[in-house]
Amino acid sequence: MEQVNGDTLAAARKVIAVHINYPSRAAQRGRTPAQPSYFLKPSSSLSLSGSAVERPAGCELLGYEGEIALVIGKAARRVGLEDAWSHVAAVTASNDLGVYDLRWADKGSNLRSKGGDGFTPVGPALIPADAVDPSRLRIRTWHNGQLVQDDTTEDLLFPFARLVADLSQLLTLEEGDIILTGTPAGASVARPGDVLEVEVSAGDLTTGRLVTRVEEGTTPFADFGAGPKVDDVQREEAWGSREAAGLPAPASVLTPELKAKLESVATATLSSQLRKRGLNNVSIDGLQATRPDRRVVGLARTLRYVPNREDLFKSHGGGFNAQKRAIDSVNEGEILVMEARGEKGTGTVGDILALRAQVRGAAAIITDGGVRDYAAVAGLEMPTYFANPHPAVLGRRHVPWDTDITIACGGTAVQPGDIIVADSDGILVIPPAIAGELVEDCIRQEQEEAFIFEMVKQGNSVDGLYPMNAEWQARYEDWKAGKSND
């Protein structure tokens, strides 16, 4: 196979990079784009295998991202999806390097953060595009000999032909131009002395390993331009997670203490206290549960279905659609809530996707539509709340449309981040801003009701006791004081 050489680099008038394209990366970042978005890297950032890259002086976060690079073989302008791949001459390995320390100054353009000399190594060999299936490529990255990225192009958000066709609608892709097609999960940070390797393969065909050595820069930035600056947000994004960056877990409104308190009080009590605050439309109604013995408390993630329209299902129903994106990005302890408009004539989730949600740690799935593969879904440890079983596939009545937006489910509005409490008595949606004071009032109410129950059991009339008048209130305070001294 032909090797990447100086002529290859000289022919590249443009280097175009895609922001997010792999489902694993989208799940890691917590956002899934509906359309591809791009940024430019200067051709002077290109380098060959075996080259060194400098982490600029004063910088902390040199991020690496193993990627598959497309090399354009013939000019493409306003080409269609069916013709786009024919404009690609070859694929090779690349490493989309960048310093997160400079993102604050040019985030969006990425010119300084990702455009430094040597920040786009490519090679070492070119695999002819007409010899491979672009949906059957494998990308792997090693950091100091340890495999850190390993993914395929089978389920890309935006297949390669779509990227070429999309870009060509507005600008001419010229012979030699290079498109970096996104990185899977596992991208992280390299330090001086580290060795990075990236390989692209298709069966027996391989680019070989693209090798880049990291060196420490010694020339400081001049004081007349933007200098390096980092914060914990950049550290988390560069390393891939707060844990990998050595940062403490972010504070959640649903703290373990608050979650335990919400689990301890009855759903009826929560409903009563919500009504006292004027919140009468906060219950998801009309659903049944696969696990009525379970009580779950978690933060809402949302998914919206719109009524099926054949052209819309064709554009939004296939591939890594909104339904699959929602399932594949739900996190530990979260509850995925689906808007299905109360439509009972088809399934909105089946056994495979429900299992995937359980494996990711979801606390529950809630849908006001149907469930397919009911026996298998009911057999899962994770509860699913649903309208009814139904054997039909999603496309009979629904188009998966959007995620993490305000939706309607079972007659009430649900926003991402709302607190959901669900059990056999019902499903409540609690605005997170009032959850703390709400549960404290619930605990007080249940203490009062425990006293009232005991007094009625002793033969007292409910007149003046339920609700308590001043006399009974005083007796309650004495009772409560005695309980606290027990």
Side-chain angles (χ1 to χ4, degrees), residues 25 62-65 98 100 143 148-149 186-190 237-240 244:
R25 179 71 162 179
L62 176 66
Y64 62 83
E65 300 176 3
Y100 282 71
H143 184 179
V148 291
Q149 291 184 289
S188 189
V189 172
E237 292 208 354
W239 285 95

Side-chain angles (χ1 to χ4, degrees), residues 37-51:
S37 62
Y38 314 92
F39 60 94
L40 285 168
K41 300 189 75 171
S43 57
S44 56
S45 70
L46 292 167
S47 63
L48 298 171
S49 183
S51 300

Side-chain angles (χ1 to χ4, degrees), residues 136 142 285:
R136 294 291 185 269
W142 292 263
D285 298 331

Side-chain angles (χ1 to χ4, degrees), residues 284-334:
I284 297 176
D285 298 331
L287 307 186
Q288 54 186 306
T290 59
R291 296 294 304 273
D293 57 314
R294 296 285 302 280
R295 179 179 174 85
V296 295
V297 177
L299 295 178
R301 297 286 300 277
T302 60
L303 167 63
R304 181 186 177 208
Y305 297 112
V306 299
N308 184 40
R309 207 177 81 186
E310 288 75 8
D311 61 322
L312 296 180
F313 192 87
K314 184 177 180 180
S315 61
H316 289 76
F320 198 64
N321 58 34
Q323 179 199 42
K324 293 177 181 177
R325 296 198 303 268
I327 291 289
D328 219 46
S329 64
V330 67
N331 296 312
E332 184 81 25
E334 293 178 337

Side-chain angles (χ1 to χ4, degrees), residues 334-389:
E334 293 178 337
I335 296 174
L336 180 58
V337 186
M338 301 180 179
E339 175 185 336
R341 311 177 310 285
E343 170 57 63
K344 300 180 179 181
T346 191
T348 56
V349 68
D351 58 345
I352 292 175
L353 293 184
L355 176 60
R356 175 61 177 159
Q358 175 176 286
V359 168
R360 287 193 59 82
I365 290 175
I366 298 173
T367 173
D368 61 355
V371 165
R372 295 185 70 218
D373 313 306
Y374 171 73
V377 174
L380 296 177
E381 180 69 17
M382 178 194 69
T384 295
Y385 298 82
F386 63 104
N388 58 279

